Amino acid sequence: MSYTVETAARTAPAAVIVAIDGPSGTGKSSTSKAVAAKLGLSYLDTGAQYRAITWWMLNNGIDVTDPVAIADAAGKPVIVSGTDPSAPTITVDGIDASGPIRTQEVTSKVSAVSAVPEVRTLITELQRSIAKAAGPGIVVEGRDIGTTVLPDADLKIFLTASPEARAARRSGELKGADVSATREALLKRDAADSSRKTSPLAKADDAVEVDTSDLTLDQVIECVVTLVEGKRAAK
């Protein structure tokens, strides 16, 4: 049997755009990176981009309690996201921001900054351009991907988990943080993200909901991989 470019095109997996949404502590990042790596897809952590712009604002003396000041400065930083799931990167004005954006200071301010419509418009445009450029497909994780950023995604998944399970996981990630305090912080973040006027955290009507409360990470990954492979096969 001769092997041609046309044959290769027929046998290559179909490109697929996967949107994974859900609140903090449900396993979005670990699941999304692992699924993308297993299936040869690109990966984008949209939350890191909002953290990056928040970090830039704090570093540049912008009053992050003032929506007008935030809106005026939103277009100034240059944010670049690497999409290799095995080593995702993010830079701001050429500076590696992967560590600094995970500080508690940024975490406590990111909801306020990301709620400003001008910020969401700019970051959403950036996210769409990255997804469009991903040849084999991409796994994009966030809070409004299936509803706002990529409403035409091939597969939408909404990860959930009980507040207790989420707090326990996040406390483990933060190495000994108080579980009760972590739970309250997560619920406060949920309330802020779900109630904002622009692109709130929400489950898309056509999203597949996966409750990760009683599942291991490997089980969640297996579940999502199966869903993606099913979608690829149907294309």
Side-chain angles (χ1 to χ4, degrees), residues 3-235:
Y3 188 78
T4 65
V5 173
E6 183 180 355
T7 303
R10 287 202 306 268
T11 57
V16 62
I17 294 179
V18 182
I20 299 184
D21 290 308
S24 299
T26 55
K28 285 198 313 293
S29 293
S30 298
T31 299
S32 298
K33 282 187 283 191
V35 169
K38 280 194 170 193
L39 297 177
L41 303 174
S42 297
Y43 160 75
L44 178 61
D45 175 2
T46 63
Q49 295 175 320
Y50 286 106
R51 285 176 171 272
I53 197 168
T54 301
W55 174 69
W56 182 91
M57 299 256 176
L58 292 168
N59 268 15
N60 285 273
I62 307 301
D63 182 357
V64 295
T65 66
D66 182 354
V68 174
I70 293 171
D72 288 344
K76 295 180 180 179
V78 177
I79 298 171
V80 178
S81 296
T83 58
D84 179 350
S86 63
T89 58
I90 188 160
T91 63
V92 182
D93 296 338
I95 300 170
D96 178 12
S98 55
I101 65 173
R102 302 297 173 182
T103 64
Q104 183 55 43
E105 183 182 23
V106 171
T107 298
S108 66
K109 301 292 192 296
V110 66
S111 285
V113 173
S114 62
V116 176
E118 289 81 358
V119 170
R120 297 207 76 82
T121 295
L122 285 167
I123 298 295
T124 295
E125 289 174 356
L126 174 60
Q127 292 162 359
R128 287 174 177 163
S129 68
I130 292 171
K132 186 177 181 180
I138 190 168
V139 178
V140 184
E141 60 141 313
R143 286 170 169 75
D144 66 339
I145 311 306
T147 54
T148 302
V149 179
L150 299 169
D152 295 325
D154 297 297
L155 176 64
K156 302 174 188 178
I157 296 171
F158 193 85
L159 298 185
T160 65
S162 68
E164 292 72 24
R166 294 166 55 207
R169 290 170 186 161
R170 187 50 54 90
S171 296
E173 292 170 2
L174 298 176
K175 303 192 187 309
D178 180 78
V179 175
S180 179
T182 301
R183 180 181 183 278
E184 292 307 310
L186 288 172
L187 292 175
K188 183 177 179 181
R189 176 76 188 273
D190 289 351
D193 290 345
S194 300
S195 62
R196 65 175 178 242
K197 292 182 179 180
T198 304
S199 303
L201 164 66
K203 175 189 170 186
D205 291 339
D206 54 347
V208 178
E209 183 170 325
V210 178
D211 189 332
T212 68
S213 301
D214 299 318
L215 300 178
T216 65
L217 177 59
D218 285 343
Q219 288 173 326
V220 178
I221 293 167
E222 182 181 359
C223 173
V224 175
V225 165
T226 300
L227 290 169
V228 176
E229 288 180 330
K231 183 59 66 172
R232 269 180 164 177
K235 292 191 75 175

